[in-house]
Amino acid sequence: MRKRRFATVASGALVALILGLSTSRARADVPITEEARTHFAAGVALLQDPKAPRYEDAYREFKAAYAASPSYKILGNLGLCAMKIERDAEAIDAYEKYLKEATELSPAERQQAERDLLTLKTGVVTITVSSNPPGAYIEDVRTPIEGNDVRNAYGQANAPLTLGIRRGHHVITAHLEGYTDQRWEFEASGTTLPPHEFTLVKPVVAVSTVPETTTSRPLPTAAYVSGAVTLGLVATGFVFGIAAVSAHNDFNTVNTDGLHQSQAQSDKNRGQAFNIVADSCFGAAILGAALTAYFVLARPTVEHPIAATAEVHRGLTLTPTPLFGPGGQGGAGGGLAAVWVY
């Protein structure tokens, strides 16, 4: 029933707004700018949305209208919208000014405004928040028993901010670029909570450092050459060693009867020569192996530039929260339906 009453009054007020612009300056308490008229008309239209009143969007329009022309006649609608989106401290302030300055209210309208104001004051919990360092963006999220979360952003806490919030479960978050977000989760009860300061700290910088050069100990060419020569000498020594054994066998064969002394002597000389060559090869191979080992063990250390370096991560940055988050629709009190016209 209350929503229906609001829609009817708001609709009539919009018509009155359009028809009354020519005479509004004489009736207005402060000079009314065209900018204020535009925002005020937009706010009324948003409250008339056929699907449901768009309190959050209308709140922004009435806020802009009041900033352009601070007429008390805007405060009734501003207070209503602030109440619906749970910006209760602003709603209380708007209603108090409205009741003080709107002397032409009818008894029924004044009683409705007074009831809404009383309901707001009865249920509001006052809390002062600040940030160290100053300047953090403050956002509050209330989780009701039923329905969606109610979000409100309050801008930068350059100085301590006093908030009027509803009773219930809240999470207040402080955002500041270059610092880690800080969250305060609590149950709001009573009328006043102790002040809370968000102490912000910078995130730990994860740095991955890689040297610009790397070292190695490559084998020198001399080591390869001496190693190859050593293997060649060993192979040659085996060949001549086998030949020496063959010559010795030939000597034994022809020397059994004493009739082939000349051939036996030739085989003997040949075997001895092969032994000498084989021994020389093996001796040289030992020297070559020692020289190769020296080249390997004494090789120098060489520095090389690396192709790429690892990235250095500088931490996270943060994006400021928009001034107005999605507002809840659970309002307190009856809701003032009067829409004032310039």
Side-chain angles (χ1 to χ4, degrees):
M1 179 63 71
R2 183 170 298 148
K3 289 185 178 179
R4 183 175 179 180
R5 173 179 174 270
F6 173 81
T8 302
V9 176
S11 178
L14 179 58
V15 176
L17 170 69
I18 297 172
L19 297 177
L21 291 178
S22 61
T23 61
S24 60
R25 291 188 179 275
R27 297 162 48 206
D29 54 317
V30 296
I32 306 302
T33 65
E34 289 302 320
E35 179 185 359
R37 298 172 195 273
T38 301
H39 286 297
F40 187 85
V44 172
L46 289 165
L47 292 179
Q48 285 187 289
D49 191 298
K51 295 181 180 179
R54 294 165 58 183
Y55 294 112
E56 183 186 0
D57 295 330
Y59 164 83
R60 284 196 288 263
E61 295 297 336
F62 291 131
K63 188 94 170 174
Y66 191 76
S69 295
S71 169
Y72 72 89
K73 296 177 181 180
I74 303 171
L75 292 174
N77 295 305
L78 180 59
L80 169 67
C81 294
M83 178 179 66
K84 292 294 185 179
I85 63 175
E86 298 193 12
R87 299 179 77 92
D88 288 355
E90 295 178 44
I92 290 171
D93 183 63
Y95 274 140
E96 286 180 337
K97 291 180 180 177
Y98 180 64
L99 289 169
K100 179 180 180 181
E101 299 180 29
T103 56
E104 70 276 27
L105 286 179
S106 68
E109 290 169 338
R110 180 169 292 276
Q111 288 175 5
Q112 181 65 70
E114 290 174 346
R115 282 197 298 269
D116 289 344
L117 180 58
L118 178 61
T119 302
L120 284 165
K121 287 184 173 182
T122 302
V124 71
V125 179
T126 303
I127 176 67
T128 299
V129 296
S130 59
S131 70
N132 181 21
Y137 284 83
I138 303 299
E139 181 185 38
D140 174 44
V141 179
R142 185 178 76 87
T143 303
I145 297 175
E146 295 181 356
N148 298 326
D149 289 350
V150 180
R151 297 175 179 270
N152 276 296
Y154 294 95
Q156 288 181 283
N158 294 314
L161 289 177
T162 299
L163 309 179
I165 60 177
R166 300 277 173 91
R167 292 189 177 97
H169 184 80
H170 288 258
V171 176
I172 298 181
T173 305
H175 315 266
L176 184 60
E177 185 176 357
Y179 292 82
T180 302
D181 285 2
Q182 296 294 319
R183 300 171 74 251
W184 177 33
E185 188 169 357
F186 62 97
E187 293 292 331
S189 60
T191 58
T192 305
L193 293 177
H196 184 83
E197 181 181 71
F198 291 95
T199 302
L200 304 175
V201 296
K202 292 187 176 182
V204 177
V205 179
V207 181
S208 176
T209 58
V210 177
E212 296 182 355
T213 60
T214 185
T215 59
S216 64
R217 297 181 65 199
L219 290 175
T221 303
Y224 290 103
V225 172
S226 63
V229 170
T230 298
L231 292 176
L233 289 172
V234 171
T236 302
F238 273 112
V239 171
F240 279 95
I242 293 172
V245 172
S246 178
H248 180 70
N249 291 336
D250 292 341
F251 170 77
N252 290 334
T253 301
V254 299
N255 195 39
T256 54
D257 54 5
L259 300 177
H260 303 85
Q261 293 183 359
S262 175
Q263 181 63 38
Q265 186 62 42
S266 175
D267 291 338
K268 179 180 179 181
N269 293 338
R270 184 162 54 86
Q272 289 175 342
F274 288 160
N275 277 330
I276 292 173
V277 173
D279 290 343
S280 298
C281 288
F282 287 133
I286 293 173
L287 293 177
L291 185 61
T292 300
Y294 170 77
F295 287 144
V296 171
L297 297 176
R299 68 190 188 276
T301 299
V302 180
E303 289 189 353
H304 306 280
I306 59 178
T309 58
E311 294 183 357
V312 178
H313 301 284
R314 296 298 181 189
L316 301 177
T317 57
L318 298 172
T319 303
T321 305
L323 183 57
F324 304 101
Q329 299 299 319
L336 182 65
V339 180
W340 282 89
V341 184
Y342 302 132

